[in-house]
């Protein structure tokens, strides 16, 4: 508490003092709200990631801005922001999203006999499998400026504990779609001979709304 004193007047040599007090409200700090992404607004939106911190995303003026925001959200594991790119629940019968999440037939059988939906709860539970380390690692190596100029860009090839893979990102101006293709290669066998078994692609297709905003359309598995 801060005490301020002001001399008001002097009567018969006695100084009369008025004390004015002011208090600081320790709880008066303004907090940022968790603002969801709105495709009808171009203002920067804040979102809380897994660490509980508020991250601000740059204003979206072109689809490339939103691609960069999506890439940052994937890298930061920002579930609220990532969910804003999806119209949940998804019709799982029209997308192969479960195939991108599960690696074995036994795992797939658990959901194949259930409802044909991919819910918000499913997204929160399986986000790390939908966007695997291989997806994140290669997405970060896409050169966005070249993607914008040429409509396509490839990441380098990786050969690590997550496999032998690389990524191709393609923008189609006519259809206003963005395709993120995670391509798995197989490599050589124990004799050094190249084998093609196990080669496959996980393709994430996005529609581009109003030439700006990415909106998830489907996942397809090829190979």
């Amino acid at each position: 508490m801060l005490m301020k004193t002001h001399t008001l007047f002097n009567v018969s040599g006695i100084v009369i003092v008025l004390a004015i007090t002011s208090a600081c409200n320790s709880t008066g700090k303004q907090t940022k709200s968790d603002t969801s992404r709105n495709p009808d607004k171009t203002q920067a939106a804040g979102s809380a990631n897994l660490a509980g911190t508020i991250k601000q995303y740059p204003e979206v003026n072109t689809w490339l801005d939103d691609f960069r925001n999506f890439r940052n959200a994937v890298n930061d594991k920002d579930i609220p922001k990532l969910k804003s790119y999806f119209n949940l629940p998804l019709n799982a019968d029209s997308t192969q999203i479960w195939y991108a999440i599960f690696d074995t037939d036994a795992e797939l059988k658990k959901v194949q006999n259930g409802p044909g939906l991919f819910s918000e709860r499913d997204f929160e539970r399986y986000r790390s499998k939908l966007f695997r380390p291989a997806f994140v690692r290669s997405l970060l190596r896409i050169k966005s400026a070249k993607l914008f100029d040429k409509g396509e860009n490839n990441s380098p090839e990786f050969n690590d504990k997550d496999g032998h893979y690389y990524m191709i990102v393609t923008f189609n101006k006519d259809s206003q779609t963005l395709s993120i293709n995670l391509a798995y290669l197989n490599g050589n066998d124990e004799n050094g001979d190249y084998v093609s078994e196990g080669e496959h692609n996980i393709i994430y297709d996005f529609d581009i709304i109003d030439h700006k905003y990415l909106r998830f359309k489907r996942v397809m598995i090829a190979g």
Side-chain angles (χ1 to χ4, degrees):
M1 179 172 294
L2 178 65
M3 178 76 71
K4 294 182 179 179
T5 60
H6 299 275
T7 301
L8 298 184
F9 51 86
N10 191 322
V11 179
S12 300
I14 301 174
V15 177
I16 300 176
V17 176
L18 176 64
I20 303 174
T21 63
S22 63
C24 296
N25 187 349
S26 61
T27 61
K29 294 181 180 179
Q30 184 177 2
T31 58
K32 297 178 182 178
S33 61
D34 183 6
T35 308
S36 61
R37 174 174 170 273
N38 187 341
D40 297 324
K41 296 181 179 180
T42 59
Q43 295 179 352
S47 181
N49 59 20
L50 289 181
T53 58
I54 301 296
K55 179 178 176 61
Q56 293 294 325
Y57 290 87
E59 181 178 341
V60 172
N61 294 306
T62 70
W63 63 265
L64 186 65
D65 296 330
D66 215 19
F67 169 76
R68 288 169 171 160
N69 286 347
F70 171 75
R71 182 171 59 185
N72 288 335
V74 169
N75 185 50
D76 293 339
K77 303 178 178 61
D78 190 339
I79 291 179
K81 179 65 174 177
L82 287 172
K83 283 196 295 187
S84 72
Y85 291 92
F86 290 75
N87 288 321
L88 297 168
L90 299 174
N91 183 350
D93 292 334
S94 63
T95 179
Q96 295 178 307
I97 193 166
W98 288 118
Y99 291 87
I101 292 170
F102 293 132
D103 296 318
T104 67
D105 291 337
E107 290 176 310
L108 281 169
K109 287 180 181 179
K110 296 178 182 179
V111 296
Q112 285 177 332
N113 296 327
L117 294 176
F118 185 81
S119 68
E120 184 172 349
R121 182 178 179 182
D122 292 326
F123 185 92
E124 293 170 353
R125 182 178 182 182
Y126 297 114
R127 182 268 319 159
S128 61
K129 290 189 174 183
L130 183 61
F131 303 122
R132 298 166 181 261
F135 180 94
V136 180
R137 193 174 296 119
S138 51
L139 184 65
L140 292 176
R141 298 296 297 276
I142 294 296
K143 298 184 182 300
S144 57
K146 290 186 177 180
L147 173 63
F148 188 79
D149 291 338
K150 298 183 178 180
E152 182 175 297
N153 191 245
N154 297 4
S155 76
E157 287 188 15
F158 297 87
N159 197 352
D160 52 34
K161 61 182 179 60
D162 297 313
H164 187 194
Y165 57 90
Y166 72 103
M167 179 176 284
I168 311 165
V169 180
T170 306
F171 166 65
N172 189 312
K173 183 177 180 180
D174 294 332
S175 62
Q176 287 293 293
T177 56
L178 188 76
S179 177
I180 301 176
N181 184 344
L182 181 60
Y184 282 92
L185 308 172
N186 200 22
N188 301 329
D189 61 16
E190 62 275 10
N191 298 319
D193 298 323
Y194 182 80
V195 291
S196 61
E197 293 180 4
E199 288 187 355
H200 65 284
N201 302 66
I202 306 177
I203 305 168
Y204 303 71
D205 283 338
F206 291 80
D207 287 323
I208 299 176
I209 309 301
D210 297 332
H211 302 277
K212 292 183 180 181
Y213 305 103
L214 272 61
R215 185 71 68 184
F216 175 84
K217 182 178 182 180
R218 62 188 174 188
V219 167
M220 296 185 297
I221 309 297

